[in-house]
C-alpha cells in the first residue's frame, strides 16, 4: 500500500491486481482523505500505457528547477487524475482528483499535496515505481 502524506491529507493506493488474468489491465483501489473527507474509487491502468505514473513522477523530478503550466497524468478512465505545478522556487503541488470512471462523473474529490521537488519527490517516485512493479516484457 502506498501512502502520500502531507500536513493533513493522505493518498492511499492499494495493490494493483489483474482482474482478467491477461496481464494487460490492472486495477487498484484509491483513497484520499483530508479534513474529514474520505473518497474512494477503483482506478484502471494498462500494462502498456505510454506513460506510467512512475515515469510521470520521474519526469517531474528531472525538471526539479521548474516548468510552466500544469503537467497531467490520469488513469485509463480518469478515476485518478494527477495535475502537477511548480512554483519555480521551492515546491511542487500535486493536485489529486479521485472520481468514478466516466467522462462526466457524478462526483469528484480533490486533495493538494505540497512536496519538495528534489529528494522528497524522488522518494515518492521510487515508492510508486516499487508499487507498480517491473515493466511488462515487450516494453
Amino acid at each position: 500500500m502506498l501512502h502520500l502524506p502531507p500536513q493533513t491529507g493522505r493518498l492511499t493506493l492499494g495493490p494493483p491486481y489483474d482482474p482478467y488474468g491477461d496481464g494487460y489491465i490492472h486495477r487498484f483501489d484509491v483513497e484520499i482523505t483530508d479534513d474529514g473527507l474520505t473518497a474512494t474509487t477503483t482506478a484502471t491502468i494498462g500494462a502498456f500505457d505510454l506513460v506510467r505514473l512512475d515515469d510521470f513522477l520521474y519526469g517531474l523530478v528531472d525538471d526539479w528547477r521548474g516548468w510552466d503550466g500544469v503537467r497531467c497524468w490520469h488513469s485509463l478512465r480518469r478515476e485518478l487524475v494527477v495535475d502537477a505545478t511548480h512554483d519555480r522556487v521551492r515546491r511542487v503541488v500535486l493536485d489529486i482528483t479521485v472520481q468514478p470512471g466516466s467522462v462526466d462523473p457524478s462526483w469528484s474529490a480533490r486533495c493538494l499535496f505540497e512536496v519538495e521537488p528534489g529528494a522528497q519527490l524522488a522518494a515518492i517516485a521510487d515508492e510508486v515505481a516499487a508499487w507498480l512493479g517491473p515493466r511488462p516484457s515487450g516494453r
Side-chain angles (χ1 to χ4, degrees), residues 3 73 91 104:
H3 295 279
W73 178 90
R91 70 181 177 138
D104 187 22

Side-chain angles (χ1 to χ4, degrees), residues 14-135:
Y17 62 92
D18 183 350
Y20 308 111
D22 60 8
Y24 292 104
I25 297 293
H26 290 86
R27 304 199 77 198
F28 58 94
D29 294 329
V30 181
E31 178 180 277
I32 59 172
T33 58
D34 192 16
D35 198 26
L37 169 77
T38 299
T40 60
T41 192
T42 301
T44 305
I45 54 176
F48 296 99
D49 285 347
L50 293 176
V51 178
R52 288 177 20 145
L53 180 54
D54 56 341
D55 294 334
F56 172 76
L57 294 170
Y58 282 127
L60 302 179
V61 171
D62 289 345
D63 291 337
W64 62 272
R65 288 189 174 110
W67 60 84
D68 293 326
V70 179
R71 292 190 179 176
C72 304
W73 178 90
H74 60 82
S75 60
L76 284 174
R77 298 184 181 123
R78 301 187 70 81
E79 308 97 335
L80 173 62
V81 179
V82 180
D83 292 330
T85 56
H86 193 301
D87 68 0
R88 291 194 170 272
V89 178
R90 61 167 191 83
R91 70 181 177 138
V92 171
V93 174
L94 301 176
D95 182 346
I96 309 290
T97 302
V98 172
Q99 57 196 13
S102 151
V103 174
D104 187 22
S106 57
W107 61 268
S108 67
R110 289 177 54 214
C111 190
L112 302 178
F113 298 90
E114 189 175 302
V115 297
E116 178 268 319
Q120 186 180 22
L121 186 55
I124 292 167
D126 289 343
E127 191 171 351
V128 169
W131 168 78
L132 280 171
R135 297 182 186 289

